[in-house]
Structure formats: C-alpha cells, structure tokens
Amino acid sequence: LIIAHRAGTDDAPENTLVAIDKSIENGVNAVWVTLQLTKDGVPVLYRPSTLESLTNSKGLISAYNWLELSSIDAGWSFGGEEHPFRGKNIGIPTLEQVLTHYPSTFFYLDIKSPDVEPKRFAEALAEVLKKTDSLKRVRVYSTEAKYLIALPDNIPRFETRDETRTLLANISLSHTCN
C-alpha cells in the first residue's frame, strides 16, 4: 500500500486539506494524519508540539479553540518565501472536516496531543468517528499507550508501541516467528 504520511509532506504543507488532495491525486491507498485536541475539544490535524514549528502563530494547539485555529496559516513555513502555498492562509483542518470531505478515503489517525487527558481525547475522537460514520475506514495509533487504552473498544487501533517492541524482542530472542 502507498500511505501518505502526514498527508504527504513533500508536495504540500503537512496535515492539511491541500496535502490530502495532492496525495489522493497521486494515487495513495490511505492517508496518515496526526491529531491534537483544541481547547474546546475539537480534534484537529497538526503534528509538532508547538504552532511556531509550522505556522505563523505560537503556543500549543490545546491553548486555542477551533475558531482561533481556523485563521492560523498551516502553510506558512512550507517551501520558503517564494513557494505558492506561502501566505495562502492554509488552515488547520478539523478531523470532522477531513472525514466528511473525503468519504471514501482510509485514514490512519495518529494521536499526538501531548497535554490532553486521554479520556477527553478518546471521547472527542469517538464522537467525530460516530458522527461521520467512519469506523470502518480508520485505524488509530499513538506512541503513547494511554491514548489507545482510553479508546472505546469499537474503535480500530494498532497495538501499543510497547506491545510491538515486546513482540519483536521475543521473536528476536527466540529466533522464531509464529
């Protein structure tokens, strides 16, 4: 499978609608996006710990509500000052917008919300997945097991990173793979 990581970072600003459009145009089978939670409980697509990494703003995603984030330019640092995406005010999309706009696309959802309580994130994510009827076209991942453990049982997910590491270590030590 061809999976566009961060929605495709070479062609457009990562985790944006523009990047997803370009990835689908390029024939991907699935799109891997990174999620964080806003101050008002809205799952949005954004990866770095702080906004200044990729945008024209500063601080944590969790310090802003969705309306405030909608005017932040997620394409601000992409490709240098002469790039056509620069200054186009490419917004930070909500997960709901993405799942609604791309109803037949499979998504891998990577939770990276560093300062949000896992249960709160899980509830917000479950609500969006139910509202958009997307359970059959997503799979959730996080490097932090606490987010995966907090998810309702009906949400498809990967094993935790610790479980995968333990499995790989046991296979390596026993020189067998069942």
Side-chain angles (χ1 to χ4, degrees), residues 89-152:
N89 201 29
I90 296 169
I92 296 173
T94 68
L95 178 61
E96 184 176 342
Q97 286 174 319
V98 167
L99 294 174
T100 302
H101 192 76
Y102 306 98
S104 60
T105 302
F106 193 92
F107 286 93
Y108 293 99
L109 308 176
D110 188 354
I111 301 172
K112 291 248 193 262
S113 221
D115 59 339
V116 174
E117 196 268 318
K119 184 177 182 207
R120 183 170 177 248
F121 197 108
E123 289 169 353
L125 179 59
E127 183 180 323
V128 170
L129 295 178
K130 181 179 178 183
K131 184 176 183 181
T132 59
D133 193 27
S134 297
L135 285 173
K136 291 183 179 170
R137 61 188 185 98
V138 300
R139 189 167 185 132
V140 180
Y141 174 77
S142 181
T143 56
E144 299 207 37
K146 64 184 180 182
Y147 290 106
L148 297 175
I149 292 166
L151 293 173

Side-chain angles (χ1 to χ4, degrees), residues 36-101:
Q36 292 197 48
L37 200 64
T38 65
K39 179 168 50 175
D40 54 343
V42 178
V44 295
L45 279 62
Y46 192 76
R47 179 192 52 84
S49 298
T50 61
L51 288 164
E52 53 266 26
S53 297
L54 299 176
T55 75
N56 60 340
S57 195
K58 293 183 179 187
L60 300 172
I61 289 285
S62 61
Y64 291 83
N65 64 41
W66 159 240
L67 187 58
E68 293 166 328
L69 285 173
S70 67
S71 64
I72 291 175
D73 189 357
W76 181 78
S77 68
F78 184 82
E81 292 188 29
E82 301 302 318
H83 199 280
F85 291 124
R86 184 83 175 212
K88 298 291 185 191
N89 201 29
I90 296 169
I92 296 173
T94 68
L95 178 61
E96 184 176 342
Q97 286 174 319
V98 167
L99 294 174
T100 302
H101 192 76

